[in-house]
Amino acid sequence: MAKVLYITAHPLNETQSFSLAAGKAFIDTYKEVNPNDEVVHIDLYKESIPQIDADVLSGWGKLRSGQAFEELSSEEQAKVGRLSELCEQFIAADKYVFVTPLWNFSFPPVMKAYLDSVAVAGKTFKYTEQGPVGLLTDKKALHIQARGGIYSEGPATELEMGHRYLDVMMKFFGVPSFEGLFVEGHNAMPDKAQEIKENAIARAKDLAQTF
């Protein structure tokens, strides 16, 4: 039995979001094909995802200096503890499905905060004399992303930084398999929006059969 984290970063629902519509089609089909797997939905807009702020940096510093967790302030304990929970949950999973829109050439800020919570030395990667080495070498990941314009080809290709960022992070963590499923062009071609959406849903269902 595999554990799958279904990680969504969109404030709307699947009837309003092209990325979530494709994501729901994917995860529903995945559950049908893999009924014994555990799927955990992490809605980043509903979960507590602490940002790395002064409390977090102070708390981490105290822990590194040898202080006990109980000696941290209540704010430090709450934030540092939550970040640790998120990281341990990430490590314990076997597969990751990230679902995001493309906003201002990247993803919503809450996804960056989430990735910051799981990028922990000694947990998801380690430092060596040869440089950092990823520790999640037995995982696989998928990114479902909706793009209103066309970014898979043409002059806008270099502007896309959401999928590219996730690709860098997955490689940094040592994840050997990372795929992308893109829903694009529905804002640029509104007359074809429904067709684009239906095509993406079909592709998502197909991909779920083998993920």
Side-chain angles (χ1 to χ4, degrees):
M1 182 181 79
K3 181 174 183 178
V4 183
L5 296 186
Y6 178 61
I7 306 158
T8 62
H10 203 296
L12 302 180
N13 59 46
E14 64 271 11
T15 67
Q16 301 162 297
S17 160
F18 279 53
S19 58
L20 290 180
K24 185 176 188 304
F26 174 89
I27 207 66
D28 286 350
T29 303
Y30 182 90
K31 289 176 181 178
E32 292 174 5
V33 176
N34 305 278
N36 294 322
D37 284 6
E38 179 187 1
V39 176
V40 178
H41 183 192
I42 302 176
D43 184 339
L44 297 181
Y45 273 90
K46 295 180 180 178
E47 295 280 349
S48 169
I49 312 292
Q51 295 188 38
I52 297 177
D53 60 9
D55 290 328
V56 171
L57 293 175
S58 174
W60 282 346
K62 290 177 181 178
L63 293 175
R64 282 196 297 270
S65 70
Q67 291 190 43
F69 181 78
E70 291 73 20
E71 297 180 75
L72 274 58
S73 71
S74 58
E75 292 82 2
E76 291 167 348
Q77 286 187 27
K79 295 176 182 180
V80 170
R82 177 58 177 155
L83 289 173
S84 180
E85 287 176 359
L86 291 167
C87 186
E88 293 300 330
Q89 180 187 48
F90 194 78
I91 293 168
D94 302 291
K95 303 175 184 180
Y96 313 111
V97 180
F98 300 95
V99 182
T100 76
L102 180 67
W103 284 2
N104 299 317
F105 309 120
S106 186
F107 38 58
V110 69
M111 178 59 79
K112 175 61 165 62
Y114 179 75
L115 292 170
D116 284 345
S117 78
V118 301
V120 180
K123 296 288 188 177
T124 51
F125 71 96
K126 66 179 179 180
Y127 292 112
T128 72
E129 292 182 357
Q130 291 73 40
V133 175
L135 299 175
L136 306 184
T137 56
D138 58 346
K139 319 291 187 183
K140 66 188 305 184
L142 167 69
H143 181 205
I144 298 175
Q145 182 197 53
R147 313 159 164 179
I150 303 296
Y151 291 84
S152 60
E153 60 184 13
T157 303
E158 293 301 313
L159 300 177
E160 196 289 315
M161 293 178 284
H163 182 72
R164 285 196 289 163
Y165 188 90
L166 273 170
D167 183 48
V168 168
M169 293 306 296
M170 292 303 104
K171 289 175 180 174
F172 184 65
F173 294 157
V175 176
S177 174
F178 178 56
E179 300 176 78
L181 191 159
F182 309 119
V183 191
E184 62 178 1
H186 43 280
N187 289 341
M189 300 173 287
D191 57 316
K192 296 183 179 180
Q194 188 60 32
E195 178 185 345
I196 290 170
K197 181 178 182 179
E198 291 173 358
N199 178 264
I201 287 173
R203 286 186 289 122
K205 291 179 178 180
D206 286 343
L207 185 56
Q209 302 281 339
T210 57
F211 182 72

